[in-house]
Amino acid sequence: MINANNVVVFDEAGIPSIMVRFTKEKNSDLFPGGSDTTHPMFIIDGKEVDEIFISKYPNTIINGKAYSLPYMKPATGLTNEQAAEACFSKGPGWHLMTLPESAFLVLDSKRKGTPPHGNTKFGSYHADPSERGEVCAYGGMTLAGSGPATWAHDHTPYGVQDLCGNVWEMIAGLRLMNGEIQVIENNNAANPVDASEKSKFWTPVLLDGKPTRYAVDDGSIRLTNEESGEDWDGCRWADVEADIEAPELLKALSLFPASDAENDGWLWVDTEGERLPYRGASWSFASGAGVGALILNYPRSLVSRNFGFRAAFYRKAEN
């Protein structure tokens, strides 16, 4: 069978990646109450793009570059900067999957009613052990795309695979700074902009002129725009509280539930210093895993066998 949204894209080295194509949509298409503005995934450098290609599989590394290929061991043990370079080095338009792109997948699976299953219990799906992938490392990691169709974001053979469990995935364009939610505007992280700790491109998400924050109090996580102390904890997305009306941008970026249907998995937060994001969870997180699971606990120096990544791509306009 042929599916027009599964595309083979070659990089400058002439090596293919299997990608899933998504076309431009509005926030109102993706979640109840969303406006008719274009979802941020499709806005790069102030211009709208018609399509974005996201790696069908968690990436492997070949000659220092990132590739989306089936039945390969996901690459792990890289820093965020190293993973980004493995994507940018493939040529113009290639990049580490960004916050808006990961959020689009959360929202798309939610509206379709197909939150992906995955490798959440050492090679199998915790809620149905008959769903299994092919274990390849560490007693739990599975080969990319080796699970059933329910492990895709749309529960079909043509969707984006392995977003729930298997390995945590680095995403670009989001950080916490002392609890303050900061992003790189729209999908501008799809270009090699400065994303260092001191970069001028980090922008707080504002409500009534004040930055929005995650606060941790007595084991709960809440959205606020008031100063909060230093703490860390985690909870299910359904249990995240709010002192404020969440800005639409946070819903579009899957940083706050956009409807009564909760994001899959858990949210973990550390409000001390700079913390970079990872999504999906790894092979031992059971019900804590999910396409929307998000951990904001670790510094940019983190290196771990449980943390991988995937690339995305857009066609840059010719000058």
Side-chain angles (χ1 to χ4, degrees), residues 232-255:
W232 69 272
D233 213 325
C235 69
R236 293 192 176 279
W237 275 107
D239 297 327
V240 175
E241 301 171 350
D243 296 341
I244 57 177
E245 181 67 30
E248 180 179 353
L249 179 59
L250 292 187
K251 297 178 181 180
L253 297 177
S254 290
L255 298 178

Side-chain angles (χ1 to χ4, degrees), residues 116-139:
H117 305 175
N119 173 17
T120 57
K121 191 176 180 181
F122 300 94
S124 66
Y125 180 48
H126 71 279
D128 184 353
S130 70
E131 294 188 16
R132 299 193 59 82
E134 186 172 332
V135 174
C136 64
Y138 311 124

Side-chain angles (χ1 to χ4, degrees), residues 1-310:
M1 296 178 67
I2 297 173
N3 182 275
N5 289 324
N6 278 208
V7 181
V8 176
V9 181
F10 291 85
D11 67 356
E12 288 188 335
I15 300 177
S17 283
I18 301 175
M19 312 293 286
V20 181
R21 173 179 174 266
F22 296 93
T23 55
K24 184 167 61 179
E25 296 199 57
K26 300 175 182 179
N27 287 341
S28 56
D29 298 325
L30 290 164
F31 58 89
S35 71
D36 285 336
T37 57
T38 298
H39 187 269
M41 167 170 154
F42 300 98
I43 306 173
I44 303 175
D45 291 341
K47 298 179 180 178
E48 295 191 7
V49 297
D50 292 329
E51 56 188 9
I52 295 284
F53 301 82
I54 297 177
S55 289
K56 185 177 180 72
Y57 308 106
N59 283 185
T60 192
I61 297 284
I62 301 173
N63 297 329
K65 302 182 189 298
Y67 294 97
S68 171
L69 298 168
Y71 280 79
M72 301 293 285
K73 177 180 174 291
T76 60
L78 286 78
T79 65
N80 189 282
E81 286 88 350
Q82 289 169 336
E85 178 57 26
C87 300
F88 287 135
S89 66
K90 291 166 62 65
W94 288 98
H95 57 276
L96 180 66
M97 185 170 69
T98 63
L99 169 65
E101 291 160 355
S102 74
F104 184 93
L105 295 171
V106 176
L107 295 170
D108 192 39
S109 65
K110 187 181 297 186
R111 68 173 169 174
K112 287 181 166 72
T114 55
H117 305 175
N119 173 17
T120 57
K121 191 176 180 181
F122 300 94
S124 66
Y125 180 48
H126 71 279
D128 184 353
S130 70
E131 294 188 16
R132 299 193 59 82
E134 186 172 332
V135 174
C136 64
Y138 311 124
M141 181 192 292
T142 52
L143 293 174
S146 64
T150 50
W151 290 17
H153 90 284
D154 61 358
H155 290 198
T156 78
Y158 309 111
V160 180
Q161 292 275 344
D162 298 336
L163 292 164
C164 169
N166 207 27
V167 293
W168 285 102
E169 295 194 13
M170 307 176 198
I171 53 176
L174 168 67
R175 71 173 183 179
L176 281 191
M177 181 58 81
N178 297 318
E180 182 178 296
I181 302 169
Q182 297 182 354
V183 299
I184 293 177
E185 186 179 21
N186 293 319
N187 204 11
N188 291 351
N191 285 329
V193 300
D194 179 12
S196 66
E197 183 174 353
K198 302 297 184 182
S199 172
K200 65 180 182 181
F201 291 103
W202 290 114
T203 304
V205 178
L206 301 177
L207 179 67
D208 298 329
K210 299 175 68 174
T212 53
R213 303 170 178 271
Y214 290 126
V216 179
D217 295 309
D218 298 324
S220 67
I221 298 174
R222 59 187 172 86
L223 186 68
T224 182
N225 57 11
E226 299 298 329
E227 293 284 346
S228 57
E230 296 176 354
D231 204 348
W232 69 272
D233 213 325
C235 69
R236 293 192 176 279
W237 275 107
D239 297 327
V240 175
E241 301 171 350
D243 296 341
I244 57 177
E245 181 67 30
E248 180 179 353
L249 179 59
L250 292 187
K251 297 178 181 180
L253 297 177
S254 290
L255 298 178
F256 193 80
S259 68
D260 291 338
E262 65 174 286
N263 289 7
D264 271 4
W266 281 49
L267 168 68
W268 289 267
V269 165
D270 188 329
T271 59
E272 179 183 2
E274 184 194 46
R275 305 292 165 174
L276 296 192
Y278 305 86
R279 226 167 200 165
S282 64
W283 59 81
S284 63
F285 270 71
S287 63
V291 63
L294 178 65
I295 194 165
L296 284 156
N297 276 21
Y298 295 108
R300 63 176 57 238
S301 59
L302 175 72
V303 172
S304 171
R305 70 183 189 182
N306 299 334
F307 290 71
F309 68 100
R310 71 181 72 212

